[in-house]
Amino acid sequence: TLHSMINNESYTGAVDWLPDGQGFVILLKQIFSDKVLPLYFGQAKYASFTRRLKRWGFKRGSNSGAYNHGKFQRGMVFDLDFDKEHPTIMNNI
């Protein structure tokens, strides 16, 4: 899931939470695309991933590569149901 991907310390250099925990930032686009995305999203390309984020209700942050969603924050138990084209926020994960 997106939450576990961002929490995975192995990828901290490529993707990480924003300092306030209110979103995440993709720090190294190429490493993220080549190493991280395939593990969590199969053969997804970066452009496809960002389109998914938009469909899921994420907004681009003020920093380049930053994204936020009102119900997606560090330390919260909410996560997205990735099995749907337009997933809902689930609170039982």
Side-chain angles (χ1 to χ4, degrees):
T1 65
L2 186 58
H3 216 275
S4 61
M5 176 183 75
I6 299 165
N7 283 328
N8 188 330
E9 293 180 6
S10 299
Y11 309 122
T12 301
V15 60
D16 204 355
W17 291 102
L18 291 170
D20 63 4
Q22 301 296 310
F24 69 97
V25 62
I26 298 167
L27 301 163
L28 299 172
K29 181 179 169 182
Q30 194 63 48
I31 292 173
F32 179 78
S33 297
D34 293 346
K35 305 283 185 194
V36 182
L37 275 181
L39 294 174
Y40 290 88
F41 296 96
Q43 297 299 319
K45 296 185 186 225
Y46 185 80
S48 299
F49 176 72
T50 58
R51 281 193 299 273
R52 283 184 184 183
L53 290 176
K54 186 175 181 179
R55 280 195 310 266
W56 295 333
F58 280 82
K59 305 288 183 204
R60 296 194 80 175
S62 57
N63 298 338
S64 178
Y67 296 90
N68 57 51
H69 188 293
K71 294 185 177 181
F72 188 83
Q73 300 172 6
R74 178 177 47 217
M76 293 184 69
V77 294
F78 294 101
D79 214 337
L80 295 172
D81 180 357
F82 294 118
D83 294 330
K84 298 178 183 175
E85 183 69 16
H86 300 283
T88 56
I89 300 293
M90 298 170 36
N91 61 4
N92 60 348
I93 294 180

